[in-house]
Amino acid sequence: MSAPDVVTQHRAHVVQRPWSAGRTARVAVMVIAAALVLYPIIGFVAMAFRSQTGVQEGTDGFLGLAGVSIQHAIDNWKTLTAYGPRGGGLFQRWLLNSVIVSVSGAVLAVVTALPAGFAMARLRWRGRRFWLIVTLIAMAMPNTVLVIPIFLQVDAIGAVGQLWPVAVLMGFFPFGVYLSYIHFMTAMPHELVEAARVDGLGEGGTFFRVALPISKQAVALVTFFSFVANWTNFFLPLTLLTSSQQNKTLSIGLQEFIGASPLFNPTSAAGLTVKLWMPELAFATFISMLPLLVVFIAAQRFLIRGQTVGAVKG
Amino acid sequence: MTATTTLPAVAPAVRPRGRRHRLSSRETVGGWLLSAPYILLFLAAAAIPIVFAVWKSLQKPSTILRPQGGFGGLDAYKSAVTDYRFWDTFKNIGIVMAVWLPIMLIGVIGLALLIHASPGRFGSVMRFVYYIPGALSGIANFMLWVYLINPSISPISWLWTTLGETTIKDATNPFNVPFILAAMLFFQGVGTWVVIVNGGLNGLPEEVFEAGSLDGANAWQVAWHVKLPMIRPWIGYAALMNIAYGFQLFMEPYLLQQVSAGAMQTEYTPTQLTFAFAFTNRNLPAAAAMSVILLVVTLAIGVLTVFRSGLFGEKEAR
């Protein structure tokens, strides 16, 4: 969005106030910040639709926008899919692996987080506070801290290089438990639990027949956040899957692309028939972003409703 | 888990008050059963690895002559701490955080206050725009930065020309690296935190700000004297979470090293050093010891976040 558009829109909404110096400064700062954010992103997305020839010759104009074409994107896709031993196909394989671990991890996260969140929000039991605090602390810690210990464990059972431990480990999602906890605290009044009890429902029955049907919002949010976290997870697949080229996920696959690019490693890339320059790398990244875009659009109405993130983190 | 030890400190606040009835054993069984799948995953993904790492860190590294290792006491900790790279890695993240945290906090607070002062479509469009880079998380953000820091293809090549740097190797010199890392982290994180802090601002009662403007304060004064002090808990929360993240820095320096053509040191951060112990030196006890050290640090930050940021507690402590 260009600056004049923004200004007119703004004016349309708040007509009564005059253009004071303070207000001009505020709008100017915000528009400049937005431009700083968008400038590199537009250039990077454009890069995915350019060709190495255009990049090298520097003929693509401002941000390379003049060199953008669908044909370049098709060529870049062909180059990427040709990467790998015996005629290529590694890129698609990695995409598939990412889908497998991210979806199974998200399903596992939903299945485990909702009942736990419900139990912590609406049942009185010994251990409730302990698990709540454990969940909060686990949530506040960056997950990379546990990766090496996890590697030692997975190594001890001889499962390094396999996809299933990655999916299972991604299923542990304390933030999802906290989201469900907040959901049941706010969306499910105590009276509803009491009523279910009066009707003779046990704890399990209350969860499945009363709590779950009103949990669409929580399911959507846990699925969304967990899928995004799994899809972009780097360190866990790096330690557990690097040893198996076929079983890599896309995030560490992209790392292999960087390693195979003549941009950074002319010597090792010289032996490869597939040349991955910046347009190919940008295109691979662009493809890796598409699933995130899809889940974002699918979850959008749930994300916007209420002050999700405020409620979530606060 | 260490979390147990923190319980007594807060326990008095949680005693059931008033109309609470006794814990029924049926509800206790129900609570445990419904939480069981999550607890199992917690054991598999956190508790067991931690216990295993602590045990492993007390072993001797296995060698060809002594494949079983055996009890080594605190040797692994000694070899981790006395490694020539150990203090350097902490110094490095210290420098990165010194550059990054102030920019991050000022950026987040500033943009959140600006958005809050801009009601209507303009404010929400801007908030969305600032959020976009947050969607480019992980390696996608890194790829974007590879494009930005490569002087020959960068859209900010004028900057590299000014600095006299013509290759990516020049650009990733030791002086630039903390700034590049700080920029990467800022770019990726700022939008999400703006949304969070803005959510906090939206949760505050309007009347307070209105009272401020009636007293003759202009928008900037209201922001500085009224709003800023009121969102202090969110600022503290953001600071603590980002410090914890900084301690764990791995992917960005790891990949930056990979593209730097040898300009950057291989073990730049503590987590990279852990990684090197495990995969380069094959000294698993040292890797475990290093993990335990980092775990203690981040756990302390985590406990601090939960109990001192003021954002959790009231609701959770009931």
Side-chain angles (χ1 to χ4, degrees):
Chain A
M1 176 171 279
S2 68
D5 275 350
V6 173
V7 174
T8 35
Q9 262 180 10
H10 183 64
R11 190 173 272 168
H13 273 83
V14 199
V15 210
Q16 63 274 42
R17 278 192 290 162
W19 275 89
S20 65
R23 190 162 159 223
T24 315
R26 166 168 62 77
V27 172
V29 169
M30 290 175 77
V31 170
I32 291 169
L36 287 178
V37 163
L38 291 178
Y39 179 74
I41 292 180
I42 293 170
F44 185 68
V45 174
M47 181 58 86
F49 293 83
R50 292 166 69 189
S51 67
Q52 172 58 15
T53 330
V55 173
Q56 214 156 23
E57 290 169 0
T59 52
D60 289 350
F62 174 70
L63 275 182
L65 290 173
V68 167
S69 92
I70 292 293
Q71 189 52 48
H72 293 328
I74 296 170
D75 294 343
N76 291 341
W77 168 262
K78 282 189 186 141
T79 313
L80 287 171
T81 50
Y83 180 86
R86 291 181 301 279
L90 271 181
F91 184 59
Q92 301 96 299
R93 177 69 200 245
W94 293 339
L95 254 172
L96 180 69
N97 291 340
S98 272
V99 171
I100 293 171
V101 294
S102 306
V103 170
S104 352
V107 169
L108 209 51
V110 171
V111 169
T112 56
L114 268 115
F118 169 76
M120 287 178 208
R122 285 294 169 243
L123 298 180
R124 287 170 295 243
W125 50 294
R126 240 176 266 284
R128 166 188 174 275
R129 247 188 74 76
F130 170 77
W131 287 109
L132 195 53
I133 289 171
V134 166
T135 301
L136 286 175
I137 292 173
M139 205 180 90
M141 286 167 61
N143 53 12
T144 47
V145 72
L146 288 175
V147 169
I148 294 292
I150 282 172
F151 168 78
L152 298 174
Q153 171 188 260
V154 176
D155 188 39
I157 59 168
V160 169
Q162 295 176 35
L163 285 178
W164 70 265
V166 178
V168 170
L169 292 162
M170 282 174 171
F172 174 63
F173 195 51
F175 181 51
V177 175
Y178 182 62
L179 276 176
S180 316
Y181 164 81
I182 292 287
H183 174 79
F184 290 117
M185 283 295 253
T186 50
M188 191 180 179
H190 250 304
E191 293 70 41
L192 209 55
V193 187
E194 302 292 335
R197 196 158 292 141
V198 172
D199 288 348
L201 284 176
E203 278 64 37
T206 313
F207 172 70
F208 284 107
R209 313 237 320 248
V210 183
L212 210 49
I214 56 163
S215 301
K216 226 168 120 188
Q217 169 92 1
V219 171
L221 290 182
V222 177
T223 310
F224 172 75
F225 284 110
S226 132
F227 182 87
V228 171
N230 298 345
W231 189 266
T232 56
N233 195 329
F234 180 78
F235 201 18
L236 188 67
L238 179 73
T239 51
L240 295 184
L241 298 174
T242 299
S243 55
S244 158
Q245 199 185 24
Q246 287 287 320
N247 278 353
K248 284 187 178 184
T249 60
L250 202 50
S251 56
I252 57 170
L254 289 177
Q255 185 217 0
E256 186 173 325
F257 281 159
I258 294 176
S261 168
L263 271 176
F264 315 110
N265 298 298
T267 37
S268 64
L272 297 167
T273 45
V274 176
K275 300 279 184 242
L276 303 167
W277 298 95
M278 200 62 224
E280 287 87 359
L281 294 178
F283 189 72
T285 311
F286 177 75
I287 296 284
S288 80
M289 298 302 296
L290 292 181
L292 296 179
L293 195 68
V294 171
V295 290
F296 179 76
I297 291 168
Q300 205 182 13
R301 66 197 176 99
F302 297 102
L303 290 169
I304 290 168
R305 193 183 296 164
Q307 327 149 304
T308 309
V309 187
V312 161
K313 296 267 181 173
Chain B
M1 244 196 104
T2 329
T4 350
T5 57
T6 64
L7 273 175
V10 283
V14 259
R15 288 280 129 81
R17 289 159 281 173
R19 58 184 189 87
R20 281 289 150 89
H21 17 122
R22 254 170 5 95
L23 298 173
S24 84
S25 61
R26 239 190 56 189
E27 233 171 305
T28 299
V29 173
W32 280 99
L33 278 180
L34 285 170
S35 306
Y38 169 65
I39 293 172
L40 279 179
L41 283 185
F42 168 77
L43 293 177
I48 297 172
I50 291 172
V51 172
F52 190 62
V54 170
W55 175 80
K56 194 85 191 172
S57 70
L58 298 172
Q59 303 291 303
K60 283 189 205 133
S62 56
T63 58
I64 297 165
L65 292 176
R66 199 186 58 227
Q68 287 308 314
F71 185 73
L74 295 175
D75 283 3
Y77 288 89
K78 214 194 249 161
S79 60
V81 175
T82 55
D83 188 283
Y84 68 100
R85 296 161 294 190
F86 183 82
W87 294 109
D88 276 352
T89 60
F90 283 95
K91 198 182 88 195
N92 290 337
I93 52 167
I95 296 170
V96 172
M97 285 205 268
V99 179
W100 167 55
L101 279 178
I103 303 174
M104 183 77 174
L105 289 177
I106 293 169
V108 166
I109 297 162
L111 290 174
L113 287 172
L114 284 169
I115 290 170
H116 194 247
S118 315
R121 175 86 65 83
F122 177 65
S124 45
V125 167
M126 286 297 120
R127 187 176 51 191
F128 177 72
V129 170
Y130 303 150
Y131 187 73
I132 295 174
L136 278 164
S137 49
I139 197 160
N141 180 49
F142 180 79
M143 282 287 200
L144 174 83
W145 281 89
V146 164
Y147 157 71
L148 292 177
I149 62 174
N150 197 339
S152 60
I153 52 172
S154 175
I156 50 165
S157 52
W158 52 268
L159 173 69
W160 303 116
T161 319
T162 318
L163 292 169
E165 283 145 12
T166 53
T167 64
I168 196 162
K169 187 175 176 174
D170 295 341
T172 50
N173 67 51
F175 178 80
N176 284 0
V177 163
F179 293 96
I180 293 174
L181 289 173
M184 279 182 188
L185 296 175
F186 177 79
F187 194 71
Q188 176 179 311
V190 71
T192 321
W193 285 102
V194 164
V195 172
I196 292 166
V197 174
N198 189 255
L201 277 167
N202 287 335
L204 299 175
E206 270 311 309
E207 300 80 47
V208 186
F209 312 137
E210 279 161 21
S213 351
L214 286 178
D215 288 345
N218 66 31
W220 293 89
Q221 288 165 329
V222 172
W224 184 258
H225 293 291
V226 183
K227 293 179 185 177
L228 194 59
M230 288 183 84
I231 51 165
R232 204 175 288 150
W234 276 274
I235 300 170
Y237 177 59
L240 284 170
M241 290 288 275
N242 282 306
I243 290 172
Y245 188 83
F247 260 100
Q248 280 307 300
L249 209 53
F250 176 80
M251 189 193 76
E252 290 82 359
Y254 175 75
L255 291 171
L256 198 60
Q257 196 278 328
Q258 206 182 337
V259 300
S260 72
M264 204 178 144
Q265 67 206 79
T266 322
E267 286 80 35
Y268 190 77
T269 68
T271 309
Q272 278 180 287
L273 183 58
T274 319
F275 191 77
F277 281 145
F279 297 100
T280 314
N281 304 6
R282 282 271 149 200
N283 185 346
L284 295 184
M290 195 69 194
S291 301
V292 172
I293 294 171
L294 289 174
L295 190 70
V296 170
V297 174
T298 41
L299 199 61
I301 300 172
V303 169
L304 207 64
T305 312
V306 172
F307 292 105
R308 286 284 169 268
S309 73
L311 288 179
F312 307 105
E314 281 148 58
K315 225 179 315 172
E316 282 70 28
R318 260 202 311 242

